[in-house]
Amino acid sequence: MDGASCWHATELNQACQGQPRLRSVGHTSGNPPHQQHPVVEHLKLTLITLAHRPPAWASEACDDLTKRFPREWAFNVIELKPDSRAGGRSTEQILSAERDRILAALPKGARIVALDERGVDHTSSALSKKLGNWHDAGDALCLIIGSADGLHPDIKAMACEQWRLSSLTLPHALAKVLTIEALYRAWSMLTGHPYHRD
């Protein structure tokens, strides 16, 4: 899906409540490419995850990576508790409950990206360009990693894009670390930071 079909967090809440979509924001051809911005000033990043307490190594890695982002690119991680699988509840019931928790946690006006095994692969270079375009458009970005059963179709359908980290099945904790690292690497490429080397 291209930027023109992207739903923002406020629109996602309205759509799930049966209200019409208000607007869509994306990078327009009239804006200068991100390569012309040697110093990128601000982009608010949020990662929402649904998982039980991660192992210590994953928490330490995530903390280390998020602290590396400059203040102007503050990276906020929101950890939500997955819905209970006990009591014979259906997958639909579980995902619906988790969808509601995600909607309540979404930053207002954020551009939404869903992490899904059937999503699109991106190189670090391509991801860096996307960050530049989103910055130029003045958007906040919210990535979402679902629970063991994935994400509710409502969220996947209304996300700007669906990304796949790997063709392999990844543990949730590792997927979280890889997502943050991929964004940090993309930021470093965009701003000329020496973290990434070709």
Short mmCIF file of all heavy atoms in Angstrom, two decimals, residues 138-172:
data_model
loop_
_atom_site.label_atom_id
_atom_site.label_comp_id
_atom_site.label_asym_id
_atom_site.label_seq_id
_atom_site.Cartn_x
_atom_site.Cartn_y
_atom_site.Cartn_z
N GLY A 138 6.14 15.27 8.01
CA GLY A 138 5.77 15.70 9.35
C GLY A 138 4.99 14.65 10.13
O GLY A 138 4.20 14.99 11.01
N ASP A 139 5.19 13.38 9.80
CA ASP A 139 4.42 12.32 10.44
C ASP A 139 5.13 11.73 11.65
O ASP A 139 6.36 11.68 11.70
CB ASP A 139 4.17 11.18 9.44
CG ASP A 139 3.27 11.58 8.31
OD1 ASP A 139 2.42 12.46 8.53
OD2 ASP A 139 3.41 11.04 7.21
N ALA A 140 4.36 11.26 12.60
CA ALA A 140 4.85 10.38 13.65
C ALA A 140 4.67 8.95 13.15
O ALA A 140 3.79 8.67 12.33
CB ALA A 140 4.08 10.60 14.94
N LEU A 141 5.50 8.04 13.62
CA LEU A 141 5.46 6.66 13.15
C LEU A 141 5.23 5.71 14.31
O LEU A 141 5.90 5.80 15.34
CB LEU A 141 6.78 6.31 12.45
CG LEU A 141 6.92 4.88 11.91
CD1 LEU A 141 5.90 4.63 10.80
CD2 LEU A 141 8.33 4.63 11.40
N CYS A 142 4.28 4.79 14.16
CA CYS A 142 4.01 3.77 15.17
C CYS A 142 4.04 2.40 14.52
O CYS A 142 3.24 2.11 13.63
CB CYS A 142 2.65 4.01 15.83
SG CYS A 142 2.25 2.80 17.11
N LEU A 143 4.97 1.56 14.96
CA LEU A 143 5.06 0.18 14.50
C LEU A 143 4.41 -0.73 15.53
O LEU A 143 4.50 -0.47 16.74
CB LEU A 143 6.51 -0.23 14.27
CG LEU A 143 7.24 0.53 13.17
CD1 LEU A 143 8.03 1.69 13.77
CD2 LEU A 143 8.16 -0.39 12.39
N ILE A 144 3.78 -1.80 15.05
CA ILE A 144 3.04 -2.68 15.96
C ILE A 144 3.46 -4.13 15.72
O ILE A 144 3.41 -4.62 14.59
CB ILE A 144 1.53 -2.56 15.76
CG1 ILE A 144 1.09 -1.09 15.88
CG2 ILE A 144 0.78 -3.41 16.78
CD1 ILE A 144 -0.36 -0.86 15.52
N ILE A 145 3.88 -4.80 16.78
CA ILE A 145 4.17 -6.24 16.75
C ILE A 145 3.08 -6.93 17.54
O ILE A 145 2.89 -6.66 18.73
CB ILE A 145 5.55 -6.56 17.35
CG1 ILE A 145 6.66 -5.82 16.59
CG2 ILE A 145 5.80 -8.06 17.33
CD1 ILE A 145 8.04 -6.05 17.18
N GLY A 146 2.35 -7.81 16.91
CA GLY A 146 1.24 -8.50 17.55
C GLY A 146 1.67 -9.60 18.50
O GLY A 146 2.86 -9.83 18.73
N SER A 147 0.69 -10.29 19.02
CA SER A 147 0.94 -11.38 19.96
C SER A 147 1.23 -12.67 19.19
O SER A 147 1.48 -12.66 17.99
CB SER A 147 -0.29 -11.57 20.86
OG SER A 147 -1.40 -11.98 20.06
N ALA A 148 1.18 -13.80 19.90
CA ALA A 148 1.46 -15.09 19.27
C ALA A 148 0.51 -15.40 18.12
O ALA A 148 0.86 -16.12 17.19
CB ALA A 148 1.40 -16.19 20.32
N ASP A 149 -0.70 -14.84 18.15
CA ASP A 149 -1.68 -15.05 17.10
C ASP A 149 -1.69 -13.92 16.07
O ASP A 149 -2.56 -13.86 15.21
CB ASP A 149 -3.08 -15.20 17.70
CG ASP A 149 -3.22 -16.48 18.51
OD1 ASP A 149 -2.97 -17.55 17.94
OD2 ASP A 149 -3.54 -16.40 19.71
N GLY A 150 -0.72 -13.02 16.17
CA GLY A 150 -0.61 -11.95 15.19
C GLY A 150 -1.45 -10.74 15.56
O GLY A 150 -1.67 -10.44 16.74
N LEU A 151 -1.95 -10.04 14.53
CA LEU A 151 -2.73 -8.83 14.72
C LEU A 151 -4.13 -9.00 14.15
O LEU A 151 -4.33 -9.75 13.19
CB LEU A 151 -2.06 -7.65 14.02
CG LEU A 151 -0.73 -7.15 14.61
CD1 LEU A 151 -0.03 -6.23 13.64
CD2 LEU A 151 -0.98 -6.46 15.95
N HIS A 152 -5.08 -8.29 14.72
CA HIS A 152 -6.45 -8.33 14.21
C HIS A 152 -6.46 -7.78 12.77
O HIS A 152 -5.74 -6.82 12.45
CB HIS A 152 -7.35 -7.49 15.10
CG HIS A 152 -8.80 -7.69 14.83
ND1 HIS A 152 -9.46 -7.07 13.78
CD2 HIS A 152 -9.74 -8.45 15.46
CE1 HIS A 152 -10.72 -7.42 13.78
NE2 HIS A 152 -10.92 -8.27 14.78
N PRO A 153 -7.27 -8.35 11.88
CA PRO A 153 -7.35 -7.87 10.49
C PRO A 153 -7.65 -6.38 10.36
O PRO A 153 -7.20 -5.74 9.41
CB PRO A 153 -8.47 -8.72 9.90
CG PRO A 153 -8.46 -9.98 10.70
CD PRO A 153 -8.08 -9.56 12.09
N ASP A 154 -8.39 -5.81 11.30
CA ASP A 154 -8.69 -4.38 11.24
C ASP A 154 -7.42 -3.55 11.25
O ASP A 154 -7.29 -2.58 10.49
CB ASP A 154 -9.56 -3.96 12.42
CG ASP A 154 -11.00 -4.41 12.28
OD1 ASP A 154 -11.36 -4.86 11.18
OD2 ASP A 154 -11.76 -4.31 13.27
N ILE A 155 -6.49 -3.91 12.10
CA ILE A 155 -5.25 -3.13 12.22
C ILE A 155 -4.37 -3.36 11.00
O ILE A 155 -3.81 -2.41 10.44
CB ILE A 155 -4.52 -3.50 13.51
CG1 ILE A 155 -5.33 -3.02 14.71
CG2 ILE A 155 -3.11 -2.90 13.54
CD1 ILE A 155 -4.75 -3.33 16.05
N LYS A 156 -4.26 -4.60 10.55
CA LYS A 156 -3.44 -4.87 9.37
C LYS A 156 -4.00 -4.19 8.13
O LYS A 156 -3.25 -3.66 7.30
CB LYS A 156 -3.31 -6.38 9.15
CG LYS A 156 -2.50 -7.08 10.22
CD LYS A 156 -2.06 -8.46 9.80
CE LYS A 156 -3.22 -9.44 9.77
NZ LYS A 156 -2.76 -10.82 9.49
N ALA A 157 -5.31 -4.19 7.99
CA ALA A 157 -5.93 -3.60 6.80
C ALA A 157 -5.79 -2.08 6.76
O ALA A 157 -5.74 -1.48 5.68
CB ALA A 157 -7.41 -3.98 6.74
N MET A 158 -5.75 -1.46 7.91
CA MET A 158 -5.72 -0.01 7.97
C MET A 158 -4.32 0.57 8.15
O MET A 158 -4.15 1.79 8.17
CB MET A 158 -6.63 0.47 9.09
CG MET A 158 -8.08 0.14 8.84
SD MET A 158 -9.15 0.66 10.20
CE MET A 158 -10.71 -0.02 9.63
N ALA A 159 -3.32 -0.29 8.29
CA ALA A 159 -1.94 0.19 8.41
C ALA A 159 -1.45 0.74 7.07
O ALA A 159 -1.91 0.31 6.00
CB ALA A 159 -1.04 -0.94 8.88
N CYS A 160 -0.53 1.67 7.14
CA CYS A 160 0.10 2.19 5.92
C CYS A 160 0.76 1.06 5.14
O CYS A 160 0.62 0.95 3.94
CB CYS A 160 1.22 3.16 6.27
SG CYS A 160 0.72 4.68 7.02
N GLU A 161 1.52 0.27 5.89
CA GLU A 161 2.28 -0.82 5.29
C GLU A 161 2.34 -1.98 6.27
O GLU A 161 2.12 -1.81 7.47
CB GLU A 161 3.71 -0.38 4.98
CG GLU A 161 3.81 0.78 4.01
CD GLU A 161 5.26 1.14 3.71
OE1 GLU A 161 6.16 0.35 4.07
OE2 GLU A 161 5.49 2.21 3.14
N GLN A 162 2.67 -3.15 5.71
CA GLN A 162 2.96 -4.31 6.53
C GLN A 162 4.38 -4.74 6.21
O GLN A 162 4.72 -4.96 5.06
CB GLN A 162 1.97 -5.44 6.25
CG GLN A 162 0.54 -5.10 6.64
CD GLN A 162 -0.42 -6.24 6.38
OE1 GLN A 162 -0.10 -7.40 6.62
NE2 GLN A 162 -1.62 -5.91 5.91
N TRP A 163 5.21 -4.84 7.24
CA TRP A 163 6.61 -5.20 7.07
C TRP A 163 6.86 -6.61 7.58
O TRP A 163 6.28 -7.05 8.57
CB TRP A 163 7.52 -4.26 7.85
CG TRP A 163 7.54 -2.85 7.34
CD1 TRP A 163 6.91 -2.35 6.23
CD2 TRP A 163 8.21 -1.75 7.95
NE1 TRP A 163 7.15 -1.02 6.11
CE2 TRP A 163 7.95 -0.62 7.14
CE3 TRP A 163 9.01 -1.61 9.09
CZ2 TRP A 163 8.46 0.64 7.45
CZ3 TRP A 163 9.52 -0.36 9.39
CH2 TRP A 163 9.24 0.74 8.58
N ARG A 164 7.78 -7.28 6.92
CA ARG A 164 8.25 -8.59 7.38
C ARG A 164 9.73 -8.47 7.70
O ARG A 164 10.53 -8.01 6.87
CB ARG A 164 8.04 -9.64 6.29
CG ARG A 164 8.52 -11.03 6.69
CD ARG A 164 8.23 -12.05 5.61
NE ARG A 164 8.97 -11.78 4.38
CZ ARG A 164 8.92 -12.54 3.30
NH1 ARG A 164 8.14 -13.61 3.28
NH2 ARG A 164 9.62 -12.23 2.23
N LEU A 165 10.11 -8.89 8.87
CA LEU A 165 11.51 -8.82 9.27
C LEU A 165 12.35 -9.94 8.67
O LEU A 165 13.53 -9.75 8.37
CB LEU A 165 11.63 -8.88 10.80
CG LEU A 165 11.07 -7.69 11.57
CD1 LEU A 165 11.16 -7.96 13.07
CD2 LEU A 165 11.82 -6.42 11.22
N SER A 166 11.74 -11.11 8.50
CA SER A 166 12.49 -12.28 8.03
C SER A 166 11.54 -13.34 7.51
O SER A 166 10.37 -13.37 7.91
CB SER A 166 13.34 -12.85 9.18
OG SER A 166 13.95 -14.07 8.81
N SER A 167 12.04 -14.19 6.63
CA SER A 167 11.26 -15.34 6.19
C SER A 167 11.23 -16.42 7.27
O SER A 167 10.41 -17.33 7.21
CB SER A 167 11.85 -15.92 4.90
OG SER A 167 11.77 -14.98 3.84
N LEU A 168 12.12 -16.31 8.25
CA LEU A 168 12.15 -17.25 9.36
C LEU A 168 11.12 -16.85 10.41
O LEU A 168 10.74 -15.68 10.51
CB LEU A 168 13.54 -17.26 10.00
CG LEU A 168 14.71 -17.66 9.11
CD1 LEU A 168 16.02 -17.43 9.85
CD2 LEU A 168 14.58 -19.10 8.68
N THR A 169 10.68 -17.81 11.19
CA THR A 169 9.82 -17.50 12.33
C THR A 169 10.71 -17.05 13.48
O THR A 169 11.62 -17.76 13.89
CB THR A 169 9.01 -18.74 12.75
OG1 THR A 169 8.19 -19.15 11.66
CG2 THR A 169 8.13 -18.43 13.95
N LEU A 170 10.44 -15.84 13.99
CA LEU A 170 11.30 -15.26 15.02
C LEU A 170 10.59 -15.24 16.37
O LEU A 170 9.40 -14.95 16.44
CB LEU A 170 11.67 -13.82 14.64
CG LEU A 170 12.41 -13.62 13.33
CD1 LEU A 170 12.57 -12.13 13.06
CD2 LEU A 170 13.77 -14.31 13.35
N PRO A 171 11.33 -15.49 17.46
CA PRO A 171 10.75 -15.27 18.79
C PRO A 171 10.37 -13.80 18.94
O PRO A 171 11.02 -12.93 18.37
CB PRO A 171 11.90 -15.66 19.74
CG PRO A 171 12.83 -16.47 18.92
CD PRO A 171 12.71 -15.98 17.51
N HIS A 172 9.32 -13.54 19.71
CA HIS A 172 8.84 -12.18 19.85
C HIS A 172 9.93 -11.23 20.35
O HIS A 172 10.08 -10.10 19.83
CB HIS A 172 7.65 -12.15 20.81
CG HIS A 172 6.92 -10.85 20.81
ND1 HIS A 172 7.38 -9.74 21.48
CD2 HIS A 172 5.76 -10.48 20.22
CE1 HIS A 172 6.54 -8.74 21.29
NE2 HIS A 172 5.54 -9.16 20.54
#
